[in-house]
Structure formats: C-alpha cells, structure tokens
Amino acid sequence: MTSRDRIQSLFRSQPGEYISGEKISDLLQISRAAVWKQVKVLREEGFKIEAKHSLGYRLLATPDRLVASDIETELNCRLIGQKVISFTETDSTNVQARRIAEEGGIEGTVVVADQQIAGRGRLGRRWESPAGVNLYCSILLRPQIPVQQAPQLTFLSAVTVVETLKDVCQLSAEVKWPNDILVNGAKISGLLNEMSAETEQIHFVILGVGINLNMTANQFPDGLNYPATSVLLETGKSVDRLVFLRAFLQRLDLYYAEFLQEGFAPIRGRWENLCKLINVQVEVDQGSHRYCGTVVGLDVDGALRLQLNNGKVERILAGDIRPTEEIK
Ligand code: BT5
C-alpha cells in the first residue's frame, strides 16, 4: 500500500475524528511534511479533509469515485477481486480486462471504470456509460471447464446482478434471455461475456457487467431500442456504488466457487426462478425465422428450450423473445 492509500484507510477507520499529523507520521513512519503532501494529493482527488491547528486532520467527505484500494478493503473474497484495477475513464473495461488477461493477469482480477468512452454491447452495439453514476466492471476468470460450457457464466452473472439489486436496493428485477436484466420491462443492466479459447481449452473468460445505478432520465440517449431505467429512477434513492460493487463481487465469488464445485445446476435453477417467461407463450424472432412456443427452461449450454405447438422442443441459440400472452 502507498502512503496515500494508508492515510486514506486510516481516515476511514476513524470516521469524523481528528487525527494528529504527529500520529499519522508515527503510524506510517513518514515525515510530517510527507503527511501534508499526501493530504494535498487526496484533496486534489476530491477528498474533503479539514486541517485544524491543534487537532490535526479530519475526513469530511470522500469523492464519489471507485478506487481500487477502497474496493479491495474488506472485500474478503476467496478469488474475485484478488486484484482490482480502477480507471477514472477508459475505453471499455472489457477491452482493458482482455489486455490484462493476455498479459497473464490472475484469475479474479476486477477492472472498473467511472466512465467508459467506448462502452460495448453485443454485436458492435454501444453501451452508454456516463461518468460517476453507474457500474462498469469486468471480471477475469480462467475456469477449467469445457469450452461449450462457458456461456453458463453469463447466467451466473445475471443471477448475481438480480440478487444484488434485491439485497442492496430492495429492487425486484427479472432476467431476460440471454443477457439482459429488466425492471418493469425496462433494461437496467446488460452483460457482455467474452472468451479466448482453443478447441479444447479456455484461456480466459471476461464477464462484463454494466448496471445503471444513479443514471438520470436525461443521461439516456434518444433512440434506444428498448426502454431503459436505473435504480435511482425506479426507487427514487441513489445507491452507494462502492457498497453495491462490494456486495456484487462477494456474491459472485460465492456463486463462482459453487459453480466450479457443483456445476451449472444450482445457477440454472436460480435463473429459471428469476425468469418470468418460463411456462409462458412467446414468439422468438430470428430475423429470417420466427418460432412460436412455450419457454420450458435453459439447456446446459445456455440455449433456451422452447416447446413448439407441435410438442417438439427446439433449442434457441439466438433471437429476440417477446411474450404473446399476459404474464401472471
Ligand atoms: C448489452 O449489450 O446489454 C451488454 C452491455 C455490457 C456493458 C458492460 S459495461 C462493462 C463492460 N465493458 C464494456 O465495454 N461492456 C461491458 P446489448 O444486448 O447489445 O445491448 C446494447 C443495447 O442496449 C444498445 O444498442 C442500446 O439500445 C441499449 N443501451 C445502451 N446503453 C444502455 C444503458 N446504459 N442502459 C440500458 N440500455 C442501454
């Protein structure tokens, strides 16, 4: 830990209290001038630190930024977040995570950004990523599983997002196959999982997660394909991004460990419980082809199982699903 990080964690351990310059200099084994220099650095980053002649320094407010050292503190995960890398601004956390993976980055590395200037959706689409309001995060995994099972990790991240929204924000969301999270029919989160593999072996998987937390209505661009929303818009309450991210990573850590031990079944069960379209009549539009049938569940490779009106079960690998009956 750098002196800056150690001063910051000292302030955080004694919220609202004055800590004398002498005490900080003793604890960190640095000069009083060096303490002052680090306080200046923190102030430049947006920390509000009061200095009183006879009392010392006191932390009044922290900037709303996701900083690696804050995220790592008290994360207590087994694997996820062993290393955290944070950017104030980057092109795309998935792009950065891929670069880190190719350079040999360790499993569980988490990349976060306060803003993405080239946030990516699937099929070359764009993910709107304004500064300081949402979560843009990519997690590097190196699972030793058959290549065809890698899509199962999308469902693992979807379940983790929905359950964290419930737990931290008391917000009920649903999963939409394959990679969307919706609240009242509007998209609140999107997942972009990418893989590098040879025929038999996975080199790495990047779980890319975007969650709209404190985004306001005017921050959504016109012309989105589907309605979109955020936690703030749904609940009227803003979310502490650090608290949310920690809770998300802790749950992901548990589910990933369970997945490696027990396989896909527990995640598949949870995902099916969170999917409002199970046993519902839907239409699947694949552009050139259209299927009608009842959703019966997920297949082991993440395909959607659709029972057609002639009784045959079709495996859907891509397409846009729309209910054709009212959902109870
Ligand atoms: C997704 O793609 O839903 C995957 C989004 C993944 C974003 C994360 S953020 C961290 C990581 N780094 C990245 O660069 N990406 C990942 P898709 O299903 O293709 O949906 C994209 C479509 O959603 C766009 O074409 C828009 O219509 C809409 N959209 C864009 N930004 C949105 C937002 N912030 N909220 C809701 N909808 C959005």
Side-chain angles (χ1 to χ4, degrees), residues 87-231:
F87 293 91
T88 309
E89 181 191 289
T90 190
D91 44 3
S92 147
T93 55
N94 266 34
V95 170
Q96 294 302 327
R98 175 176 281 274
R99 179 185 55 75
I100 290 161
E102 282 165 355
E103 288 167 1
I106 55 168
E107 184 171 44
T109 299
V110 172
V111 180
V112 291
D114 279 315
Q115 179 178 17
Q116 298 185 119
I117 47 177
R120 289 163 44 182
R122 292 176 306 150
L123 310 167
R125 291 191 283 249
R126 189 181 153 76
W127 186 254
E128 295 302 324
S129 313
V133 284
N134 294 335
L135 213 62
Y136 317 115
C137 160
S138 301
I139 300 111
L140 162 60
L141 300 178
R142 297 186 184 275
Q144 294 186 357
I145 55 172
V147 174
Q148 359 17 306
Q149 286 175 14
Q152 296 173 349
L153 291 163
T154 301
F155 302 95
L156 189 149
S157 37
V159 166
T160 309
V161 171
V162 173
E163 292 190 3
T164 310
L165 284 169
K166 183 80 193 167
D167 202 32
V168 178
C169 315
Q170 290 76 52
L171 184 63
S172 293
E174 63 175 292
V175 290
K176 177 171 179 260
W177 185 88
N179 73 324
D180 289 349
I181 313 294
L182 308 182
V183 172
N184 297 322
K187 185 156 167 170
I188 197 160
S189 166
L191 310 169
L192 178 66
N193 292 353
E194 297 179 292
M195 174 171 64
S196 160
E198 282 165 54
T199 28
E200 294 290 308
Q201 199 199 351
I202 294 179
H203 298 308
F204 60 82
V205 175
I206 307 290
L207 301 187
V209 184
I211 311 175
N212 300 333
L213 295 180
N214 299 323
M215 202 166 171
T216 52
N218 59 4
Q219 288 176 310
F220 289 98
D222 295 333
L224 288 181
N225 297 345
Y226 292 98
T229 191
S230 70
V231 174

Side-chain angles (χ1 to χ4, degrees), residues 11 15 43 54 62 68 113 125 142 144 170 173 217 274 327:
F11 278 135
R43 280 181 172 159
S54 52
T62 48
R125 291 191 283 249
R142 297 186 184 275
Q144 294 186 357
Q170 290 76 52
L274 295 171
I327 303 170

